[in-house]
Amino acid sequence: MIENSDFRIEEADLSCKFDVALIHQFMQPLGFDFDEKEVEYSVILYTLNDDIVGVGSCQGNILKYVAVASHYRESGAFAHIVTYLTEHIMETYQKAFVFTRPYNIPRFGGLGYNHIASAPPLISVLEFGYKSINDYKTYLQSIKSKNEEKQAASLVMNCNPFTLGHQYLIEKAASENEIVYLFVVETDRSVFSFKDRFEMIKLGTSHLDNVILVKGGDYVVSCATFPNYFLKSESANAVTRKQAELDLNIFAQHLAPVLNIKKRYVGTENYCSTTSVYNKVMKKVLPSHGIELVEVQRKEISNSSNDLISASKVREAIKTKETDTLNALLPQSSLGYINSNGLMDEIKQELQSCNSRH
């Protein structure tokens, strides 16, 4: 517990039904549905008379559910909660992120948070810490092709796992461009770990001299950890579109200029509605930043089957031990990696315990 002359702040016990109910009761009139499963740490700010002034939480290095009672919003309550949570995050991480409405940018900016990008009028993302997006840009400079005058193409892939479809799309981009930067989503929310996905891509593209692999870090499809609790009144489709727009604005405004990227390749999406929306938003956002979107028809399992390759089909084949299907969907480099590293049984068990596509 920490006190100052106006308030005291206490850590909430998220395993205690009373503390969770207290946060619920405070946030509900403010239009928020608090979900304790989406956070790992929460605090409650009180007056010295034990009235609740505000609450705040975090999950990893992302601030969530920061809310202050209306009659305390001109006080130092907001700053007190954000500062306390930021210090907590910085004990473990080198930076903190917050996703918020654009009109809150000045409030967080006054506490040392730097604005990265926005998708008006719904979402902005800001960061604070010892490391920033400028450090990621330095990393991009370090792997940049020596042929700096050449325009480059790009792909952003998760590859969970790396399939013949991914390989086909990369080979097409490599055949049509002098340099291709392949960003690999680094957020570990997939069945295959980032390390395994990266290695499979590396093996599956080793024959392409003009393809440079890039670690996605915190700035490429980071919306996997995107909190949308503050967008409760918006439709699911609007939120998905704005998430995509935010991610693409980060890519176009900050990353593409460093690597002189003028094209982005993407496969057609026939299975995942979220990815389909993302592709539609790309067609609007990227050209406005001078980046051409090249959409390539997804590769079929065979020339006449009209059955398209997808990583989700691979995961289902692993789950059901369909060896022939795996041979039709995976390059030998991926199949060899999965088998030689003992991943087949490990992934099968994980897939049987969950029903997620990703």
Side-chain angles (χ1 to χ4, degrees), residues 156 169 240-241 244-245 248 264-287 293-296 298:
V156 175
L169 180 58
T240 300
R241 291 182 67 84
E245 185 180 328
L248 291 165
R264 181 157 161 178
Y265 280 70
V266 64
T268 54
E269 182 51 57
N270 302 77
Y271 300 110
C272 178
S273 59
T274 299
T275 307
S276 178
V277 169
Y278 194 98
N279 284 5
K280 289 177 183 176
V281 177
M282 272 198 276
K283 292 175 183 178
K284 177 183 176 184
V285 173
L286 293 181
L293 179 68
V294 181
E295 192 171 26
V296 178
R298 188 185 285 251

Side-chain angles (χ1 to χ4, degrees), residues 34-242:
F34 178 71
D35 185 351
E36 67 275 16
K37 296 186 292 297
E38 291 187 353
V39 301
E40 60 189 23
Y41 181 81
S42 296
V43 295
I44 303 173
L45 188 69
Y46 296 90
T47 66
L48 299 183
N49 292 323
D50 289 335
D51 296 322
I52 297 182
V53 175
V55 298
S57 301
C58 59
Q59 176 74 35
N61 64 346
I62 299 175
L63 268 66
K64 292 185 173 184
Y65 295 109
V66 177
V68 174
S70 58
H71 48 292
Y72 284 101
R73 287 178 187 164
E74 299 305 316
S75 71
F78 176 81
H80 197 58
I81 295 169
V82 171
T83 300
Y84 189 90
L85 288 172
T86 302
E87 289 175 354
H88 172 80
I89 289 172
M90 295 302 289
E91 290 174 4
T92 305
Y93 303 93
Q94 293 186 309
K95 62 184 127 179
F97 290 96
V98 63
F99 296 83
T100 187
R101 296 275 192 175
Y103 57 71
N104 283 323
I105 291 174
R107 302 188 75 186
F108 283 99
L111 298 174
Y113 278 77
N114 295 311
H115 177 231
I116 299 174
S118 293
L122 296 187
I123 312 167
S124 294
V125 59
L126 300 91
E127 66 179 354
F128 174 99
Y130 309 121
K131 294 220 167 191
S132 71
I133 196 168
N134 291 326
D135 294 280
Y136 185 68
K137 291 179 183 180
T138 300
Y139 158 67
L140 295 182
Q141 284 284 3
S142 74
I143 64 169
K144 185 174 182 179
S145 167
K146 292 182 175 59
N147 298 309
E148 294 192 18
E149 74 283 357
K150 293 182 180 178
Q151 294 185 356
S154 64
L155 301 104
V156 175
M157 290 182 163
N158 193 37
C159 298
N160 185 34
F162 183 74
T163 69
L164 285 168
H166 294 123
Q167 191 176 60
Y168 168 76
L169 180 58
I170 298 165
E171 287 175 342
K172 181 169 179 58
S175 70
E176 296 175 353
N177 298 275
E178 294 177 297
I179 303 167
V180 176
Y181 292 101
L182 172 49
F183 291 82
V184 184
V185 176
E186 196 162 350
T187 307
D188 257 330
R189 292 172 66 92
S190 299
V191 176
F192 287 87
S193 70
F194 168 71
K195 173 183 173 295
D196 291 329
R197 289 184 286 110
F198 195 88
E199 285 302 315
M200 280 186 276
I201 298 168
K202 187 176 179 181
L203 290 169
T205 59
S206 60
H207 60 295
L208 303 171
D209 294 335
N210 61 336
V211 174
I212 299 174
L213 268 60
V214 186
K215 296 178 181 179
D218 292 314
Y219 304 100
V220 177
V221 194
S222 56
C223 292
T225 53
F226 179 86
N228 59 10
Y229 68 91
F230 62 93
L231 299 174
K232 179 184 171 186
S233 61
E234 307 296 334
S235 70
N237 185 265
V239 172
T240 300
R241 291 182 67 84
K242 286 300 177 180

Side-chain angles (χ1 to χ4, degrees), residues 26 28 77 141 150 166 183 203-204 255 303 349 353:
F26 177 80
Q28 203 158 36
Q141 284 284 3
K150 293 182 180 178
H166 294 123
F183 291 82
L203 290 169
L255 314 186
N303 290 332
Q349 289 177 4
S353 66

